[in-house]
Amino acid sequence: MTRHFLRDDDLSPAEQSEILDLAVRLKGDRFSEKPLAGPQTVAVIFDKSSTRTRVSFAVGVADLGGSPLIISTANSQLGGKETPADTARVLERMVAAIVWRTYAQSGLEEMANGTTVPVVNALSDEFHPCQLLADLLTIREHRGALAGLTVAFLGDGGSNMAQSYLLACAVAGMNIRIGAPIDYEPKQHVVDEAFAIAERTGGSVAVLADPIAAVGGADVVVTDTWVSMGREDEKAERIAALGSYKVTPELMTHAAEDALFLHCLPADRGYEVDASVIDGPQSVIWDEAENRLHAQKALLVWLLRQQGA
């Protein structure tokens, strides 16, 4: 059965845990799984520029015995003359999986509906589920079991990172708080979906306007850039609206004494977070960046196993 990973709640709690367990094993024994030996090819498609996503998927596919085919949509028919579904029908005859970093979530859904090989969301405007697997892996490495931990995300609550945090933490049975101002809250349907999941897993969901209340006693504090790609013209407006949500050493004192700090990078130092927090003892962002490799390898291994199930 073909399984895709388009958003964080495409995995059940047991499946999410299974993939994180596998990521731990692959981090300790990097070349122990070779499902792409041949080598088989994985298409890795980019609508947006990238550092961590490009490197981690290219290296990860090679580690798994495969060959990464990096495709820029600027130099392909996808998004121009050809629909995602038609592109998928072509690629499935040549590749073992498709990874796509794009804009519209609907394009990923169309591609997944049109193919028999796994499709992975490497980032869309709505969700960033591969990053969340890496973030959960990082938290687990430093704090053990995920269930019951409290995570505070500060900044743009409507960003792909905030919305993925809502879903992924709910799936893991964690307590997720989004600290965001009015007009920057997550989409209500995502909040509702996360709340429904949390009711089943024992987690909780809250959207708060007060950044201090959001981080109060939190085990993990997270932020992301305030100015995503394509929104550079909104920078001044966003800084004015989100300024009080900057993660500073003073704000971190309201979290748990041993709270971790995460940021998916790239960080706009001095805007959403002070450099002293990024480089401070509570920051685990370099572990987080490395864990993109291990988490995504585990995801690909798991998805390919489902093909033969």
Side-chain angles (χ1 to χ4, degrees):
M1 180 181 69
T2 303
R3 291 287 299 273
H4 306 291
F5 189 53
L6 308 185
R7 43 185 281 166
D8 308 81
D9 56 348
D10 282 342
L11 301 175
S12 70
E15 290 167 343
Q16 183 193 73
S17 182
E18 182 182 351
I19 290 169
L20 293 175
D21 287 344
L22 179 55
V24 171
R25 183 164 67 79
L26 286 173
K27 188 169 184 176
D29 191 359
R30 182 168 163 177
F31 305 106
S32 59
E33 294 278 353
K34 297 288 184 181
L36 294 169
Q40 298 180 67
T41 300
V42 174
V44 190
I45 307 170
F46 290 92
D47 291 353
K48 298 183 177 185
S49 61
S50 167
T51 299
R52 278 150 292 277
T53 299
R54 184 180 182 123
V55 173
S56 57
F57 269 111
V59 173
V61 169
D63 282 1
L64 297 176
S67 175
L69 174 63
I70 308 298
I71 302 171
S72 168
T73 49
N75 299 314
S76 75
Q77 301 293 350
L78 178 61
K81 293 181 179 180
E82 194 162 63
T83 67
D86 286 352
T87 297
R89 291 187 183 98
V90 172
L91 291 178
E92 72 178 2
R93 295 177 177 233
M94 306 179 195
V95 305
I98 301 168
V99 177
W100 192 10
R101 180 179 172 95
T102 187
Y103 292 92
Q105 185 75 14
S106 59
L108 283 156
E109 293 166 357
E110 181 184 343
M111 181 170 281
N113 288 334
T115 186
T116 57
V117 300
V119 175
V120 174
N121 177 0
L123 176 144
S124 72
D125 287 344
E126 289 191 42
F127 303 106
H128 198 354
C130 287
Q131 181 66 57
L132 260 291
L133 286 177
D135 288 11
L136 294 181
L137 176 60
T138 306
I139 296 167
R140 198 173 103 160
E141 284 179 335
H142 288 270
R143 290 294 177 268
L146 297 174
L149 294 178
T150 297
V151 178
F153 181 97
L154 294 179
D156 182 358
S159 69
N160 50 16
M161 280 297 295
Q163 296 194 150
S164 270
Y165 257 96
L166 280 166
L167 296 181
C169 289
V171 170
M174 304 171 82
N175 305 307
I176 175 64
R177 304 174 189 156
I178 304 295
I182 295 171
D183 297 331
Y184 287 85
E185 301 102 330
K187 292 180 180 176
Q188 189 58 49
H189 75 86
V190 178
V191 175
D192 293 342
E193 289 156 0
F195 184 81
I197 296 168
E199 283 195 313
R200 300 193 298 269
T201 62
S204 67
V205 173
V207 179
L208 305 168
D210 182 352
I212 293 176
V215 303
D219 301 291
V220 183
V221 177
V222 190
T223 193
D224 186 22
T225 181
W226 292 343
V227 186
S228 299
M229 283 178 282
R231 292 190 161 182
E232 289 79 7
D233 60 335
E234 301 175 11
K235 185 168 185 176
E237 174 188 335
R238 286 176 162 266
I239 290 171
L242 296 165
S244 61
Y245 296 82
K246 177 196 285 190
V247 180
T248 63
E250 194 280 328
L251 186 61
M252 288 293 291
T253 64
H254 296 280
E257 186 175 354
D258 61 349
L260 303 175
F261 172 74
L262 276 73
H263 190 306
C264 67
L265 301 176
D268 202 350
R269 290 169 178 254
Y271 288 93
E272 72 270 11
V273 58
D274 278 349
S276 59
V277 175
I278 294 176
D279 299 323
Q282 292 170 279
S283 174
V284 291
I285 62 172
W286 311 119
D287 292 344
E288 179 187 8
E290 178 192 344
N291 282 339
R292 287 290 300 275
L293 171 66
H294 310 301
Q296 288 163 185
K297 284 172 61 180
L299 173 68
L300 287 172
V301 171
W302 189 86
L303 289 171
L304 292 167
R305 284 178 181 171
Q306 309 312 302
Q307 290 291 91

